[in-house]
Amino acid sequence: MPEILFASQPIYDCDGHIYAHELLYRHETGITAFEVGDSVATSEVLYNLCTGLLEYVEHIKLPVCVNVSTEFLLSGLFLPLAPEHVIVELVERIEPNDEIVEAIKRWVAKGFRFALDDFEFQEGWKPLLDLATIIKVDIERTPFDVAKQRYQELQHLDVLWLAERIEDETTLQKYQELGFDLFQGYFLARPTAVEGRRVPSAAATQLTLVINQLFAEDPELYEIVAALQTDPVLVVNLLRIANSPYYGLTRKIESLKEVVMLLGLEPLRKWVLLIVAVKGQAPEKTKLILTRAYMCSELARKKDPFNRLPGPAFLVGLLSGSEVLLGIEKQTFLADLNVSESVRSAVLNDEGELGKYLQEVQQFEYDLAMKKPLEGHGDLFDIYQQCHFLVDELLNNIVID
């Protein structure tokens, strides 16, 4: 069943065209962004945008407006979306001290745009006026005469003026005549719940090794790939993000190494940190699919004299567990991934050399679970013991301080 991922409210220009979409935190339990905190709310909205629905292309044609917390602004990190795709909203809860102003200057230098949300023209916010792209005026809290005076006083600024909470046509016309550029409110459009499939994230305890490698002083590609292979939920989510409209791939994915290379180190770091903020996955499911992936890879290594297939075989084993890991049918999940035909046909139909490896491993899993004789599987039981031990060691050695 579809789930609520977030809400979206359009922002219009003077000609009635949509200029941007403001993304709002929504949860089916009714918990609010204030209750979960700004950091978690922002993380979930962005995560759900890029993993929950890949065909909602309306939100890549125009910028999305998102709130960020004080902690995120000061963290030294930046949003994982390219600056042209996002407008950062500074809510009134942020206190613009010297540290905040310097942090925003660094964001602006990276190309990010800022909107001053619910702006009330308080003295402390003046240092941010020259850094802003949009000034949002809450017309319910700011009388029209005050808004008019401030608008005229600040005409020297290179900003767009947005009137929010437009409730009727008369008010809309009044602010249009004043010279405002953008408009938002229930009269124009109410927030709309956007539905999709909420994709669970990796457990934080399973991300430690990945984070250690990603943020090493001299990160090594192969060590990052090895760390990612300890966490199948993280890998499938990164695949989904990589194949979202924001990171549309132009080449086929054959291995985790390619995923890392195509995403790039900095976006990869940012997404991992965002994923940490989202709810985790059951370790039993992780262990089952991770063991399967390693078994497929080891089987390929033993049988492929040219050593071409261990990487793709690992990916096949991993993707075959999308329903177990994510609750998404393989056909649905693979429809949105730009994987090679050999990987796709192996996962969906057990076809090709990769499909044969997967079929062998899954038949072994079934016989093992049903306590059937395993002699007919040749050395697969030895491979299973080896991979099962490896997975146990990997997961047991991941510790959060």
Side-chain angles (χ1 to χ4, degrees):
M1 292 290 292
E3 301 165 281
I4 296 175
L5 302 177
F6 50 82
S8 174
Q9 186 176 29
I11 296 168
Y12 293 88
D13 63 19
C14 287
D15 297 320
H17 300 137
I18 298 177
Y19 172 82
H21 296 270
E22 181 174 6
L23 303 189
L24 306 167
Y25 179 82
R26 293 290 187 273
H27 199 281
E28 291 181 333
T29 64
I31 191 170
T32 66
F34 181 77
E35 291 170 309
V36 301
D38 291 333
S39 295
V40 173
T42 300
S43 297
E44 288 202 23
V45 165
L46 286 174
Y47 179 76
N48 289 337
L49 172 67
C50 281
T51 63
L53 65 176
L54 300 185
E55 296 179 358
Y56 198 64
V57 294
E58 185 178 4
H59 282 105
I60 66 163
K61 294 177 182 176
L62 299 169
V64 292
C65 300
V66 294
N67 295 328
V68 298
S69 64
T70 299
E71 293 74 20
F72 201 98
L73 281 172
L74 297 176
S75 67
L77 300 169
F78 299 96
L79 293 172
L81 298 183
E84 63 266 23
H85 289 309
V86 63
I87 297 170
V88 181
E89 294 200 354
L90 300 177
V91 296
E92 71 277 7
R93 293 189 296 276
I94 292 177
E95 297 181 10
N97 54 33
D98 291 343
E99 192 178 12
I100 287 286
V101 173
E102 289 303 312
I104 293 172
K105 286 180 180 178
R106 291 192 292 272
W107 281 68
V108 171
K110 289 285 186 179
F112 287 94
R113 292 168 290 173
F114 281 83
L116 307 184
D117 195 16
D118 297 339
F119 193 64
E120 294 184 329
F121 308 99
Q122 296 176 2
E123 191 71 20
W125 283 75
K126 281 188 175 180
L128 298 181
L129 288 173
D130 289 329
L131 300 172
T133 299
I134 298 173
I135 294 178
K136 297 182 70 174
V137 179
D138 184 339
I139 63 173
E140 287 188 355
R141 295 164 60 175
T142 303
F144 179 76
D145 290 342
V146 174
K148 181 178 180 180
Q149 179 186 350
R150 298 302 188 187
Y151 173 78
Q152 292 171 343
E153 290 174 352
L154 299 174
Q155 279 300 291
H156 62 283
L157 296 173
D158 183 20
V159 296
L160 299 175
W161 288 77
L162 189 157
E164 58 179 334
R165 300 189 188 276
I166 298 287
E167 300 289 344
D168 54 64
E169 187 171 1
T170 301
T171 305
L172 173 63
Q173 290 177 348
K174 189 161 61 171
Y175 279 90
Q176 285 176 332
E177 291 170 0
L178 177 58
F180 272 52
D181 308 283
L182 302 172
F183 310 91
Q184 183 180 10
Y186 283 6
F187 173 71
L188 297 166
R190 290 176 174 269
T192 302
V194 178
E195 295 184 334
R197 186 62 188 242
R198 191 182 293 269
V199 180
S201 75
T205 54
Q206 296 166 350
L207 287 172
T208 307
L209 181 58
V210 177
I211 291 173
N212 286 343
Q213 293 300 334
L214 283 174
F215 290 89
E217 187 172 342
D218 295 308
E220 294 288 340
L221 174 62
Y222 289 100
E223 291 180 359
I224 290 173
V225 171
L228 286 174
Q229 287 181 342
T230 67
D231 197 328
V233 178
L234 176 59
V235 173
V236 293
N237 281 318
L238 288 173
L239 278 167
R240 195 157 176 95
I241 288 167
N243 285 277
S244 76
Y246 292 101
Y247 295 100
L249 302 180
T250 58
R251 54 182 291 191
K252 299 293 184 181
I253 299 174
E254 285 283 2
S255 67
L256 296 182
K257 174 184 172 184
E258 289 184 305
V259 174
V260 174
M261 293 176 69
L262 286 164
L263 278 179
L265 181 61
E266 285 306 313
L268 190 64
R269 283 172 170 171
K270 295 166 190 174
W271 277 119
V272 167
L273 290 176
L274 281 179
I275 291 170
V276 169
V278 192
K279 196 174 179 180
Q281 179 58 268
E284 295 80 12
K285 295 180 180 180
T286 298
K287 188 176 293 187
L288 170 68
I289 303 305
L290 192 54
T291 301
R292 178 188 299 172
Y294 273 109
M295 287 183 70
C296 288
S297 180
E298 182 62 17
L299 197 59
R301 190 187 67 79
K302 285 180 174 292
K303 295 190 175 185
D304 175 23
F306 301 105
N307 203 33
R308 298 169 293 113
L309 297 179
F314 185 93
L315 193 56
V316 166
L318 203 59
L319 295 177
S320 71
S322 65
E323 189 161 2
V324 175
L325 292 171
L326 305 175
I328 301 176
E329 292 183 356
K330 291 182 292 187
Q331 290 84 348
T332 302
F333 188 69
L334 281 169
D336 294 323
L337 291 182
N338 189 27
V339 294
S340 67
E341 190 54 39
S342 61
V343 170
R344 186 185 306 277
S345 59
V347 175
L348 295 180
N349 303 312
D350 294 332
E351 293 177 353
E353 195 71 17
L354 293 171
K356 187 165 67 174
Y357 300 149
L358 177 62
Q359 193 173 33
E360 286 185 50
V361 171
Q362 288 184 309
Q363 184 61 52
F364 174 86
E365 289 176 346
Y366 177 81
D367 290 348
L368 182 67
M370 300 303 293
K371 299 182 179 179
K372 291 186 176 183
L374 301 175
E375 292 82 0
H377 290 285
D379 61 354
L380 205 54
F381 182 71
D382 292 334
I383 292 176
Y384 164 74
Q385 287 185 307
Q386 174 187 341
C387 295
H388 191 269
F389 177 77
L390 172 63
V391 170
D392 275 340
E393 285 294 300
L394 287 170
L395 298 183
N396 288 338
N397 287 329
I398 297 174
V399 179
I400 290 288
D401 292 333

